[in-house]
């Protein structure tokens, strides 16, 4: 039987690229009543603030898009990364448990070490290489310890027309440079944040009950170099392939982090878009907004 009253959904991290993509889709899900909060509205690292917010506002679901995502900076800002990526999810999980709210939490391919050469399944053992990955994995762990009704969605190489991401960086560099060097020995899958936003809202709209950890990315596997060439196709800029040792970063990154999405397709009936189709959609939208 169809639910008569709207499903109340809290979306944290509203100013991030995923939160903003969810906001863009709000009108397409008439059975959902979405409430968006940023850090100023609700600091998820403040346990009392979270508890009070859930007590005052009735929710059925919480989508946690709030995260510390500056991978290199996390190596020196360990405490801040831990607070946002581990303690924040813990406080949300505690509040969700008390008020019978389903938590949907966004995690990352960086929980893996990249030693595999086949796509990572949800059952594969995590072994993060950097502080960011460690804090995200600990966030996953605490949610699993506290809750039964949760969805943890690991995704990879997220981009959109919002925020800071690889696609926007490449487009910006193309405006001022004739040549750019991009690493070719790190393999993964780009994911359009708007595609992921649809998946999250569909999980809620359809009242999915197959709780657990899932992997979601667009379809395909490539290097950052391949991705850069696709982004910059048709532009007058030379893209040069380099090994990772020639591009030093503060944090180690997995050399292979392709996610196996079979489970989410099977259990939650999610359709996976080809990465190139999604990239074209995103670029078209980005260019139209820049005019």
């Amino acid at each position: 039987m169809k639910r008569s009253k709207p499903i109340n959904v809290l979306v944290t991290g509203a100013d991030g690229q995923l939160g903003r993509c969810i906001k863009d889709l709000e009108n397409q899900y008439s059975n959902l009543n979405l409430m968006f909060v940023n850090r100023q509205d609700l600091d998820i690292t403040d346990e009392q603030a979270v508890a009070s917010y859930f007590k005052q506002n009735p929710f059925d679901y919480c989508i946690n898009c709030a995260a510390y995502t500056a991978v290199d900076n996390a190596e020196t800002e360990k405490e801040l990364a831990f607070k946002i990526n581990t303690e924040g999810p813990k406080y949300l999980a505690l509040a969700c448990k008390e008020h019978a709210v389903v938590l949907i939490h966004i995690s990352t391919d960086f929980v893996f070490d990249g030693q595999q050469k086949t796509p990572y399944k949800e059952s594969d053992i995590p072994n993060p290489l950097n502080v960011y990955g460690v804090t995200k994995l600990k966030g996953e762990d605490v949610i699993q310890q506290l809750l039964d009704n949760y969805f943890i969605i690991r995704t990879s190489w997220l981009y959109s027309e919002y925020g800071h991401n690889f696609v926007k960086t490449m487009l910006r560099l193309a405006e001022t440079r004739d040549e750019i060097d991009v690493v070719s020995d790190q393999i993964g899958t780009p994911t359009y944040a708007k595609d992921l936003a649809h998946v999250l809202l569909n999980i809620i709209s359809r009242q999915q009950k197959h709780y657990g950890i899932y992997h979601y990315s667009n379809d395909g596997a490539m290097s950052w170099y391949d991705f850069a060439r696709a982004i910059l196709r048709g532009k007058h800029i030379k893209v040069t392939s380099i090994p990772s040792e020639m591009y030093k970063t503060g944090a180690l990154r997995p050399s292979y982090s392709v996610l196996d999405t079979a489970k989410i397709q099977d259990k939650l009936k999610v359709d996976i878009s080809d990465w190139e189709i999604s990239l074209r959609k995103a670029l078209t939208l980005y260019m139209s907004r820049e005019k």
Side-chain angles (χ1 to χ4, degrees), residues 239-252:
V239 184
T240 302
S241 154
I242 61 168
S244 295
E245 56 260 31
M246 286 183 63
Y247 184 73
K248 297 296 182 184
T249 57
L252 288 174

Side-chain angles (χ1 to χ4, degrees), residues 163-177 180 231-232 235 237 286-287:
H164 300 287
N165 57 70
F166 185 77
V167 172
K168 289 180 69 177
T169 297
M170 292 298 104
L171 293 172
R172 188 181 71 248
L173 292 175
E175 294 175 0
T176 57
R177 296 191 189 179
I180 186 170
I231 296 163
L232 300 173
K235 297 188 179 295
I237 182 170
Y286 177 76
M287 297 305 177

Side-chain angles (χ1 to χ4, degrees), residues 65-129:
C65 301
Y68 181 106
T69 57
V71 177
D72 293 321
N73 292 347
E75 297 297 309
T76 52
E77 295 183 335
K78 296 178 183 179
E79 187 175 333
L80 181 59
F82 177 79
K83 282 185 70 170
I84 298 171
N85 291 343
T86 304
E87 288 189 352
K90 176 183 177 180
Y91 301 148
L92 288 173
L94 285 168
C96 286
K97 184 175 184 178
E98 182 173 351
H99 298 281
V101 176
V102 177
L103 178 60
I104 302 179
H105 176 71
I106 311 304
S107 194
T108 174
D109 58 327
F110 276 27
V111 299
F112 297 113
D113 60 17
Q115 294 303 302
Q116 283 190 190
K117 296 304 173 196
T118 55
Y120 280 94
K121 298 178 184 294
E122 291 82 354
S123 55
D124 288 323
I125 305 300
N127 184 35
L129 298 176

Side-chain angles (χ1 to χ4, degrees), residues 62-245:
C62 171
I63 305 176
N64 182 32
C65 301
Y68 181 106
T69 57
V71 177
D72 293 321
N73 292 347
E75 297 297 309
T76 52
E77 295 183 335
K78 296 178 183 179
E79 187 175 333
L80 181 59
F82 177 79
K83 282 185 70 170
I84 298 171
N85 291 343
T86 304
E87 288 189 352
K90 176 183 177 180
Y91 301 148
L92 288 173
L94 285 168
C96 286
K97 184 175 184 178
E98 182 173 351
H99 298 281
V101 176
V102 177
L103 178 60
I104 302 179
H105 176 71
I106 311 304
S107 194
T108 174
D109 58 327
F110 276 27
V111 299
F112 297 113
D113 60 17
Q115 294 303 302
Q116 283 190 190
K117 296 304 173 196
T118 55
Y120 280 94
K121 298 178 184 294
E122 291 82 354
S123 55
D124 288 323
I125 305 300
N127 184 35
L129 298 176
N130 52 49
V131 171
Y132 166 71
V134 168
T135 61
K136 291 297 287 183
L137 180 60
K138 286 182 176 178
E140 289 185 11
D141 291 343
V142 75
I143 289 168
Q144 293 176 85
Q145 289 164 14
L146 290 170
L147 296 176
D148 295 318
N149 298 351
Y150 66 85
F151 295 94
I152 293 171
I153 313 289
R154 293 177 182 146
T155 192
S156 62
W157 296 20
L158 206 63
Y159 71 90
S160 70
E161 56 271 28
Y162 301 118
H164 300 287
N165 57 70
F166 185 77
V167 172
K168 289 180 69 177
T169 297
M170 292 298 104
L171 293 172
R172 188 181 71 248
L173 292 175
E175 294 175 0
T176 57
R177 296 191 189 179
D178 298 319
E179 185 174 351
I180 186 170
D181 297 336
V182 183
V183 297
S184 58
D185 54 359
Q186 293 174 19
I187 309 299
T189 305
T191 306
Y192 183 27
K194 202 151 282 180
D195 290 343
L196 176 57
H198 268 301
V199 169
L200 302 177
L201 295 177
N202 267 311
I203 287 172
I204 298 171
S205 187
R206 295 177 183 176
Q207 298 284 274
Q208 295 280 5
K209 302 296 185 188
H210 297 290
Y211 302 117
I213 297 179
Y214 291 90
H215 289 172
Y216 177 82
S217 67
N218 286 137
D219 193 32
M222 74 217 66
S223 68
W224 288 112
Y225 166 73
D226 298 325
F227 191 33
R229 288 188 66 194
I231 296 163
L232 300 173
R233 190 172 295 142
K235 297 188 179 295
H236 299 292
I237 182 170
K238 182 182 178 183
V239 184
T240 302
S241 154
I242 61 168
S244 295
E245 56 260 31

